[in-house]
Amino acid sequence: MSDLPASIDIHEEGPREGFQIEPGPIPTADKIRLIEALAETGLHHIQVCSFVNPRVVPGWADAADVVAGFKAKPGVDYTALWFNGNGLERALAFRDKLHLTGSISLTASEAFTRKNLNRSHAENLEAMRKQTALHISHGVAVERIGVMAAFGCNYQGDITPQQVVSTLQDGFAIAKEYGAEIKRISLADTMGWAAPQRIERVVGEVRSRWPEQKIGLHLHDTRGLAVANAHAGLKMGVAQFDSTVGGLGGCPFAGQKGAAGNICTEELVLLCEEMGIRTGVDLDALIEVGRMAETIVGHVLPSELIHAGSLDAFRRQAA
């Protein structure tokens, strides 16, 4: 257990991840209300929207209105997602409000690359070269390599650690070509294939290959193992996690309608705090935001803590 981090860095993706998949429409004011409430819980990284084609993701047709509308809290990095030059241009309009960094986004499964992006792996590498050059030309640092479907794929099956390493090598080659300094690797369990042993194998292989890199996990709770997988990652020293309040979200292109979304932020916080790992988050406040999110979307969310409450609440009663 000596690799356990003393603290973790949580990247909250509930607004972006959640509202992209809800049938909606979710009012702009409610999206803003959720973003502002999340910033009051102690979270320091909040992904607020996607600048994407509204015909493909109608839930983010109001992305510009949301970013313009929320009141930014000092000390919080607000981020956004985009996939092409048009999305970058829309994000750049809010450069004074958003924390903009670029990413080389790849997939360990070619089948999912075709399903998600309608590209081959080679075509996606070329697209990432162009996007990296575009980011750098606009003064946006490219600091991250993300690998989707890093633990398995509904369209291709099992993904080996060697496939993940090979995909990352492609990403680092692009970074080197354009002089980008990569500071973080993100491994995504996009379709919920990970189990603790898979986490250990993949993270171990990646860490042994790039020991100087920070590794983050983007976990989905599709099959109920997200907390177990987070625990496995923590034991290996992973100190950065993407999560969503209430368990909002899910990938609309994963081929599994109704599947659970990301690991719930409040469940991740509870796990860490009970293990003595600092998060800087007020868990009771976060649970209330999860309840707010459930009211906004109008249906039950996966988080157990929304309904059970925190342990501290019961500790206070018992004291």
Side-chain angles (χ1 to χ4, degrees):
M1 300 291 281
S2 60
D3 280 346
L4 281 176
S7 63
I8 68 164
D9 193 22
I10 297 174
H11 288 224
E12 169 62 48
E13 297 189 351
R16 190 276 301 172
E17 179 94 25
F19 296 138
Q20 76 174 7
I21 203 168
E22 289 295 328
I26 305 296
T28 301
D30 283 341
K31 295 176 181 178
I32 291 170
R33 185 160 60 97
L34 184 70
I35 291 165
E36 292 181 342
L38 285 166
E40 297 300 324
T41 65
L43 290 164
H44 292 287
H45 305 273
I46 304 172
Q47 194 169 62
V48 295
C49 73
S50 291
F51 290 109
V52 288
N53 188 328
R55 292 192 301 276
V56 179
V57 186
W60 277 115
D62 61 347
D65 292 335
V66 169
V67 179
F70 75 80
K71 183 177 180 180
K73 181 180 176 67
V76 178
D77 286 341
Y78 299 92
T79 63
L81 189 69
W82 61 86
F83 296 109
N84 54 34
N86 181 56
L88 174 59
E89 290 290 343
R90 293 170 64 194
L92 286 168
F94 297 98
R95 199 167 195 160
D96 61 333
K97 198 170 189 179
L98 296 176
H99 179 71
L100 301 181
T101 59
S103 177
I104 299 172
S105 298
L106 302 173
T107 306
S109 160
E110 178 142 3
F112 186 60
T113 305
R114 292 187 180 277
K115 186 72 175 179
N116 191 27
L117 300 171
N118 196 30
R119 299 171 183 157
S120 68
H121 179 66
E123 289 169 336
N124 194 41
L125 289 177
E126 185 56 33
M128 287 300 102
R129 288 187 183 95
K130 292 177 179 176
Q131 183 160 300
T132 300
L134 185 64
H135 282 133
I136 292 171
S137 71
H138 283 86
V140 176
V142 177
E143 300 178 344
R144 170 186 173 274
I145 299 175
V147 179
M148 292 185 286
F151 303 94
C153 173
N154 290 347
Y155 304 103
Q156 188 165 315
D158 291 310
I159 299 294
T160 67
Q162 291 71 32
Q163 286 171 285
V164 176
V165 167
S166 177
T167 304
L168 284 166
Q169 286 173 331
D170 290 339
F172 277 106
I174 293 172
K176 183 177 180 181
E177 185 178 347
Y178 292 95
E181 182 184 356
I182 300 301
K183 298 181 179 179
R184 179 164 61 97
I185 292 169
S186 177
L187 304 174
D189 185 26
T190 314
M191 288 162 274
W193 279 60
Q197 284 186 314
R198 285 181 188 259
I199 296 287
E200 291 169 3
R201 286 197 297 268
V202 174
V203 171
E205 195 74 29
V206 171
R207 188 171 64 178
S208 66
R209 179 66 178 80
W210 292 280
E212 76 286 355
Q213 287 289 335
K214 293 180 180 179
I215 298 174
L217 289 174
H218 179 100
L219 301 171
H220 281 239
D221 202 31
T222 311
R223 292 171 178 84
L225 289 177
V227 168
N229 292 334
H231 184 257
L234 288 165
K235 288 196 298 180
M236 298 196 72
V238 174
Q240 193 267 301
F241 292 84
D242 300 335
S243 61
T244 65
V245 64
L248 281 164
C251 178
F253 306 105
Q256 200 156 356
K257 187 176 181 181
N262 292 60
I263 185 171
C264 304
T265 309
E266 54 271 35
E267 292 179 3
L268 176 63
V269 170
L270 175 67
L271 171 68
C272 290
E273 296 291 350
E274 289 298 308
M275 294 174 69
I277 299 169
R278 297 189 305 276
T279 65
V281 176
D282 181 333
L283 182 55
D284 288 322
L286 184 64
I287 289 170
E288 288 304 316
V289 179
R291 291 168 178 158
M292 175 196 297
E294 191 170 77
T295 300
I296 288 172
V297 298
H299 61 80
V300 174
L301 289 174
S303 171
E304 298 293 345
L305 266 70
I306 289 176
H307 312 110
S310 72
L311 290 173
D312 283 346
F314 288 93
R315 286 180 177 127
R316 287 192 294 269
Q317 289 179 19

